[in-house]
Amino acid sequence: MKILGIETSCDETGIALYDGKANQIIFEALYSQAEEHDLYGGVVPELAARDHINRLLPLLKNKMKESSVTMNEIGAIAFTNGPGLRGPLMVGAGFANSLSYALDIPVIPIHHMEAHLIMAKYDADDLSYPFISLLVSGGHTLIVKVSSPNAYKVIGQTKDDAVGEAFDKTAKLLNLGYPGGPEIEKRALLSEGKNDFSFPRPMIDSKDLNFSFSGLKTSVLYKVKDLSKKEDLSEDTVNDIAFEFQNAAIDCLVKKSLKACKIERSQSLVLSGGVAANKHLREELEKHKGAINLYYPDQKHCTDNGLMIAFAGFQKITEQTKDFGIDVAPRWSLENVQ
Ligand code: KG4
Ligand code: ZN
């Protein structure tokens, strides 16, 4: 069965056609609006929604033309139903439902964070239940206990900013571009350690599995303000701040995910979501590979994309497919997935 995946929850227009039975990607395409939103230092929901409208149909038409597949061969359509920005979600939902009506095929609403999580299974045949998932993106920082398909229990989460959001806000403070995660990572790699900065690791030793990132971001803010009183920040200083910020954020993620595995006696840790693209995070977790089995999607499929929606759709359609209406869920708890 060929499933078309449509992702429009934020600022990436993602589509993919995935043949579930053959486990083959027929095509995938991504249009990133990042440059447009960079002008405003963050995503502007109204502009994002308008751009999804402009991009979706041309992206699909081009990819269909390039492939030898016809519209009638598409067996189902999966789309991101939430959580995310309401306007952008409505565009994807409207597009998916109209197409499913025209082609008379099922349409499957997908939970965006579940799709991130499931994507780690894409090329990990040996991943078995139960497992722990560290789900880290621009809007979420969750530790989830996954007992079986669809059985998600959130056992840890951020008390304030999501970790991706902290990367984005810190990058903005340092006058780096949007999205901030890849920019901070690049700058951290350039650090030669000329300045020995030290930022806090909030809640790292708390007994629970929760996180807090707003204090870390505020520490960077105070440091930047203080240093800027004397002179503009040098490139070396920016690199060193990025390095220490990244270390601090990642120390918290690593410590709490390992703790979760220990408490839940899980040997498998699944890392997903946009921040999972961060190489330093992967490397720090890889160091514990003897104690845990680590799984994560390839870098391209950590950040938002259409394939993760198509892939999640394929897992769902084999269970039970209903006829769903257009009713997006901008706030949708992972624990309420069916
Ligand atoms: O999953 P995603 O693409 O969108 C949401 O669902 O939010 O995640 C986007 C987030 C952004 O905050 C971005 O800065 C962060 O993931 N991100 C990274 C990296 N690549 C993307 N954070 C750290 N290091 C990266 N390499
Ligand atoms: Zn995402």
Side-chain angles (χ1 to χ4, degrees):
M1 148 103 59
K2 294 181 180 61
I3 299 195
L4 179 67
I6 293 170
E7 159 59 32
T8 63
S9 67
C10 192
D11 59 341
E12 314 274 352
T13 315
I15 60 164
L17 189 62
Y18 171 67
D19 185 336
K21 288 216 173 93
N23 193 20
Q24 192 194 345
I25 305 168
I26 299 165
F27 63 69
E28 57 181 327
L30 189 73
Y31 176 82
S32 175
Q33 307 172 356
E35 233 173 75
E36 189 175 347
H37 298 290
D38 193 14
L39 295 172
Y40 305 93
V43 179
V44 184
E46 170 67 21
L47 293 182
R50 284 190 221 166
D51 217 29
H52 287 309
I53 293 177
N54 293 335
R55 303 288 165 191
L56 268 174
L57 197 53
L59 267 188
L60 181 62
K61 274 184 168 171
N62 280 344
K63 283 288 160 187
M64 289 301 293
K65 214 166 151 188
E66 276 170 31
S67 74
S68 52
V69 178
T70 63
M71 291 302 271
N72 290 333
E73 287 176 69
I74 300 176
I77 301 173
F79 71 99
T80 304
N81 196 43
L85 302 171
R86 187 177 290 274
L89 286 171
M90 288 300 290
V91 174
F95 188 81
N97 279 273
S98 313
L99 205 54
S100 92
Y101 180 68
L103 297 172
D104 193 23
I105 55 175
V107 61
I108 315 156
I110 297 294
H111 189 294
H112 180 82
M113 296 312 291
E114 184 184 24
H116 271 306
L117 190 158
I118 289 179
M119 195 55 206
K121 280 170 63 176
Y122 179 67
D123 40 22
D125 298 337
D126 59 328
L127 174 61
S128 57
Y129 297 92
F131 60 83
I132 297 294
S133 172
L134 175 66
L135 261 176
V136 277
S137 72
H140 293 80
T141 306
L142 303 172
I143 298 184
V144 185
K145 182 180 172 184
V146 187
S147 311
S148 58
N150 300 343
Y152 303 108
K153 177 134 191 58
V154 176
I155 55 174
Q157 58 189 306
T158 181
K159 294 283 179 198
D160 38 57
D161 291 353
V163 63
E165 186 183 355
F167 269 89
D168 294 336
K169 287 179 174 169
T170 301
K172 200 171 170 184
L173 285 174
L174 296 173
N175 278 326
L176 304 175
Y178 172 84
E183 296 298 322
I184 296 271
E185 181 170 19
K186 262 187 246 157
R187 291 308 200 108
L189 278 171
L190 295 173
S191 166
E192 291 173 359
K194 291 195 175 144
N195 302 276
D196 195 11
F197 295 119
S198 168
F199 295 132
R201 276 106 174 114
M203 291 185 73
I204 196 164
D205 291 320
S206 70
K207 288 207 175 84
D208 55 26
L209 297 171
N210 294 329
F211 303 95
S212 165
F213 292 103
S214 79
L216 169 59
K217 172 205 66 197
T218 307
S219 296
V220 178
L221 171 69
Y222 288 149
K223 180 56 77 184
V224 168
K225 274 192 175 163
D226 190 34
L227 293 170
S228 307
K229 273 186 212 151
K230 294 171 214 146
E231 55 190 359
D232 287 348
L233 299 191
S234 71
E235 294 299 307
D236 279 335
T237 303
V238 169
N239 297 346
D240 294 345
I241 291 176
F243 177 79
E244 170 59 4
F245 164 81
Q246 179 174 269
N247 282 348
I250 284 172
D251 282 354
C252 299
L253 296 176
V254 170
K255 179 127 190 222
K256 290 287 169 92
S257 352
L258 294 175
K259 188 172 180 168
C261 288
K262 201 165 166 197
I263 292 173
E264 298 296 337
R265 293 196 180 84
S266 170
Q267 289 223 297
S268 300
L269 178 65
V270 164
L271 173 63
S272 315
V275 182
N278 186 285
K279 245 180 122 200
H280 183 59
L281 172 58
R282 291 160 175 239
E283 284 165 3
E284 287 302 298
L285 284 170
E286 293 278 3
K287 287 182 185 163
H288 302 272
K289 246 187 155 174
I292 52 159
N293 302 316
L294 185 62
Y295 301 88
Y296 43 74
D298 62 347
Q299 261 174 322
K300 172 177 159 191
H301 294 122
C302 284
T303 43
D304 293 351
N305 64 87
L307 181 66
M308 70 184 202
I309 306 302
F311 184 66
F314 180 68
Q315 319 292 313
K316 300 276 166 187
I317 203 158
T318 47
E319 289 155 23
Q320 180 194 22
T321 303
K322 296 177 236 144
D323 187 16
F324 300 90
I326 302 181
D327 183 16
V328 295
R331 292 168 186 271
W332 183 6
S333 165
L334 189 57
E335 291 180 347
N336 296 335
V337 163
Q338 275 154 25

